[in-house]
Amino acid sequence: MIGVFDSGIGGLTVVHALRQQLCDHDMVYFGDTARTPYGTKSAQTVITYVLENVGLLLSHGAKILVMACNTAASVATDVVRQRFNIPIIEVISPAVALAMKSTKKFRVGVIGTRATIQSKAYENKILEMHPATEVYAVACPLLVPLVEEGWLKKPETAMIVKKYLHHLKVRQIDTLILGCTHYPLLKKVIQRKIGPQVHIIDASSAVAAELAGYLAQHAELDDHLGKNRKLRLLVSDITPQAEELARMILKHNVELEHIRC
Ligand code: DGL
């Protein structure tokens, strides 16, 4: 099994991308819907939750883990790598690698939750790869609730996106990283507001490509992963909103399984 976890349902954008590249592989997803959002919480609290989530996925047979949640990846990747002996694919490195391939001016924008932006995880990774890059990072805390309300095409959402992106626009970035599970759902409005000249990096497809590449190089692991197209969606709380968001992201009816952690 490939194990994927997120703070809630938004991480299904990553599952959607994974299933486009690895459609046969069995996957078990855990969305911590009872404790979402993580993006407004302290790093210590997020780390505590993440360690529990990893334990839960291991107990459900995960042999490789995808940390779909940008907030979790920003603050907890090192701790998870120290505590668990399992390959871990996180969203930040693949997104940064793609962004650095794309940028010509080395002026890169990053948007994410408050916790992600405060952690400077994206910034540090970008500067590690190319120290002369100008990185402009903006926290966009209102975007997650807007997506969760399904306000993808509302004029109010477009107005808020425009306001958040203003700082990046005046800095003339040429590449923008969507550093949050929910933002791919707002990609159209983000592209409209930042301008067609800016290349948008969607972390969900970057992580899918990274996982596919990893498995291609580790046949001994890949051979042990089930390939029966199974997808289990475990969540710590079920609400009609969570079900609706899951349907909206995966584009088909889904069955969420309630699990206590
Ligand atoms: N999954 C989170 C992320 O990608 C967004 C939602 C939350 O704040 O928990 O950062």
Side-chain angles (χ1 to χ4, degrees), residues 5-11 13-14 29 32 35-41 46 68-74 91 112-116 122 141 144-145 148 178-183:
F5 78 84
D6 179 45
S7 56
I9 297 296
T13 52
V14 174
Y29 176 88
D32 196 3
R35 302 188 291 200
T36 200
Y38 285 7
T40 54
K41 299 201 167 65
V46 174
C69 180
N70 289 259
T71 303
S74 297
V91 274
T113 64
R114 264 206 190 100
T116 297
Y122 273 101
V144 165
E148 296 204 334
L178 304 185
C180 175
T181 46
H182 289 57
Y183 301 172

Side-chain angles (χ1 to χ4, degrees), residues 69-78 90-97 110 113-129 135 137 177 179:
C69 180
N70 289 259
T71 303
S74 297
V75 302
T77 300
D78 292 346
E90 43 75 32
V91 274
I92 296 172
S93 313
V96 167
V110 183
T113 64
R114 264 206 190 100
T116 297
I117 299 304
Q118 273 166 7
S119 76
K120 295 191 184 291
Y122 273 101
E123 218 162 319
N124 293 339
K125 187 72 70 185
I126 292 170
L127 295 176
E128 225 175 73
M129 283 189 74
V135 188
I177 300 177

Side-chain angles (χ1 to χ4, degrees), residues 144-184:
V144 165
L146 287 169
V147 169
E148 296 204 334
E149 284 303 315
W151 281 33
L152 305 184
K153 294 185 178 153
K154 299 263 186 191
E156 293 84 350
T157 303
M159 212 170 72
I160 291 168
V161 167
K162 184 176 174 194
K163 187 151 178 65
Y164 280 141
L165 296 183
H166 176 74
H167 173 70
L168 302 176
K169 210 169 170 170
V170 295
R171 299 289 170 175
Q172 300 188 332
I173 58 164
D174 70 351
T175 301
L176 173 62
I177 300 177
L178 304 185
C180 175
T181 46
H182 289 57
Y183 301 172

